[in-house]
Amino acid sequence: MRILGIETSCDETSAAVVDDGRMVLSCIIASSRTAFRESGGVIPETAARRQVECMLPVLDAALQQAGCTREHIDAIAVTAGPGLLGSLLVGTVTARTLAALWRKPLVPVHHTFGHLCSTWLRDPGAEDSTPLFPMLTLSASGGHTDLWYRTGHTTGMLLGRTRDDAAGEAFDKGASMLGLPYPGGPSVSAAAERGNPLAFPFPRPLHDDPSLDFSFAGLKTALRYLLRDLEIRPEQETVPQRADIAASYQHAICAHLTDRLHRALQRYPDVREIHVVGGVSANTALRSMMCHIACGRTVRFPARLLYCTDNAAMIAAGAEFLFQERNGQSAPWETSATLSLDAFLTTGTQTH
Ligand code: KG4
Ligand code: ZN
């Protein structure tokens, strides 16, 4: 199928055309991120207003770059939630209107399910093998941190999720304490490049806890105390230890994520691949640490950095796989924006 995807759950406006859930013919993303440098975080009203302006030009560009018109599109996919309400409305109203006008099926897709499908995306002509189930998928972004054992696109079980902040949120809040710009992931990562990841000790969250859950609040507090003890304030321009602190903080976040994956691998030895998706999967330090614990298994990240962070191609892929495995059925439209991901994946009972 050729699916037109639309994604507007946070500060991005994105449209994409994807063939068979894999081949990305176009993926256009307009971001209002720079508007939030001052505030250090997204202002929902500002994001939604910007999306109203961007939606139609982004749609036009996606169709044009894919070289297709409405006749070539088989279905329309849109992020139904979770996300900022005003932002979601811009995307969903656009998608509903297009589906009605063009007489195409409309598929609401859970945002996190879209991330789970992002490792299938390829550019035309790029050769690659098809991912193999069962797999472990770590989905880490600014809004969630989930670890899944998956036996199919829509089947599997949730092994663990964060008990407090998301991994991306830990990067964003840490960056703000360090006086680095939003979004925090790329800026902490850039600051960490010249730093020593072992310069400052950080706690190991949930170290003695047998669950596969995550927790990042303690790392954030440890950073706050470290900065207080070193008398470093965010507005300070010259901070000689900034690179070492950023590297140590980044290392602590990545070590926690990797530690959970490592434990999960020991409990589920039949796993054939490890997938890491979501905005945090763009992190270079995390990528190399994940490859170290894989014990020879294939480790996949989204093929382009563009597909790690929010994008419409993953939503189109999600719709394709919902069609394949559930005949296009996700949860009822009215409830899908608030439902947890469990509504989209058949969850089993945890065996540990
Ligand atoms: O998936 P995403 O675009 O949006 C959500 O669904 O939340 O993820 C955004 C998050 C932000 O918290 C951002 O700081 C983080 O992903 N991020 C990174 C990197 N690039 C983006 N975190 C660590 N390292 C990066 N290179
Ligand atoms: Zn996301």
Side-chain angles (χ1 to χ4, degrees):
M1 288 175 79
R2 177 166 291 179
I3 300 185
L4 170 67
I6 296 174
E7 147 69 38
T8 59
S9 64
C10 190
D11 55 351
E12 269 98 11
T13 311
S14 179
V17 179
V18 178
D19 275 357
D20 304 323
R22 295 213 70 184
M23 189 143 2
V24 185
L25 301 185
S26 66
C27 182
I28 307 290
I29 305 174
S31 173
S32 53
R33 180 171 303 164
T34 45
F36 304 119
R37 289 251 146 142
E38 290 263 300
S39 59
V42 179
I43 302 167
E45 174 71 13
T46 311
R49 282 174 185 272
R50 187 84 186 102
Q51 282 159 328
V52 169
E53 292 162 12
C54 292
M55 190 71 257
L56 293 182
V58 164
L59 264 175
D60 278 344
L63 288 170
Q64 202 175 16
Q65 198 181 91
C68 63
T69 61
R70 69 176 80 170
E71 285 76 37
H72 304 111
I73 301 292
D74 298 311
I76 296 171
V78 63
T79 305
L84 303 174
L85 186 62
S87 297
L88 287 169
L89 275 172
V90 177
T92 52
V93 168
T94 307
R96 280 177 178 224
T97 309
L98 283 183
L101 278 174
W102 295 358
R103 296 176 194 279
K104 309 282 180 190
L106 176 64
V107 191
V109 177
H110 192 286
H111 180 76
T112 310
F113 183 61
H115 277 300
L116 295 189
C117 300
S118 62
T119 32
W120 270 258
L121 298 172
R122 291 283 161 271
D123 292 332
E127 278 301 308
D128 203 7
S129 55
T130 303
L132 299 170
F133 294 106
M135 63 179 62
L136 286 177
T137 306
L138 170 68
S139 185
S141 77
H144 68 272
T145 306
D146 298 332
L147 178 57
W148 292 92
Y149 172 85
R150 298 164 69 206
T151 50
H153 283 292
T154 61
T155 52
M157 62 186 166
L158 182 64
L159 301 179
R161 60 181 17 166
T162 184
R163 295 184 183 174
D164 39 59
D165 293 344
E169 208 178 344
F171 273 105
D172 295 337
K173 289 178 177 170
S176 143
M177 285 187 245
L178 282 162
L180 298 167
Y182 173 85
S187 50
V188 168
S189 173
E193 256 170 42
R194 298 166 310 280
N196 171 6
L198 302 176
F200 295 98
F202 274 88
R204 298 177 68 182
L206 303 178
H207 185 56
D208 298 320
D209 185 308
S211 80
L212 293 169
D213 283 344
F214 302 88
S215 167
F216 297 95
L219 292 180
K220 192 182 62 187
T221 308
L223 176 63
R224 189 179 302 284
Y225 288 149
L226 175 66
L227 294 173
R228 183 200 58 190
D229 294 346
L230 295 172
E231 296 180 1
I232 297 170
R233 288 177 313 281
E235 62 277 11
Q236 238 168 283
E237 280 200 3
T238 323
V239 179
Q241 312 98 317
R242 193 179 267 139
D244 282 346
I245 299 172
S248 304
Y249 183 62
Q250 170 176 265
H251 180 77
I253 294 173
C254 298
H256 180 41
L257 292 169
T258 316
D259 170 68
R260 278 6 220 181
L261 255 294
H262 184 58
R263 287 180 191 212
L265 275 181
Q266 288 170 336
R267 289 182 203 175
Y268 300 94
D270 61 332
V271 159
R272 298 163 85 178
E273 298 197 357
I274 297 171
H275 290 207
V276 187
V277 300
V280 179
S281 69
N283 190 276
T284 323
L286 179 66
R287 288 181 174 218
S288 69
M289 286 167 80
M290 283 291 169
C291 293
H292 273 103
I293 54 128
C295 298
R297 292 176 184 86
T298 304
V299 186
R300 290 184 201 257
F301 307 93
R304 294 174 63 183
L305 289 183
L306 202 71
Y307 307 147
C308 296
T309 44
D310 292 348
N311 67 87
M314 69 184 195
I315 300 302
E320 170 82 31
F321 301 136
L322 283 173
F323 261 105
Q324 281 178 14
E325 292 187 10
R326 294 204 178 165
N327 202 17
Q329 296 299 309
S330 55
W333 179 270
E334 285 69 26
T335 50
S336 53
T338 48
L339 277 180
S340 74
L341 189 62
D342 308 359
F344 294 84
L345 293 183
T346 317
T347 49
T349 1
Q350 276 177 242
T351 50
H352 58 268

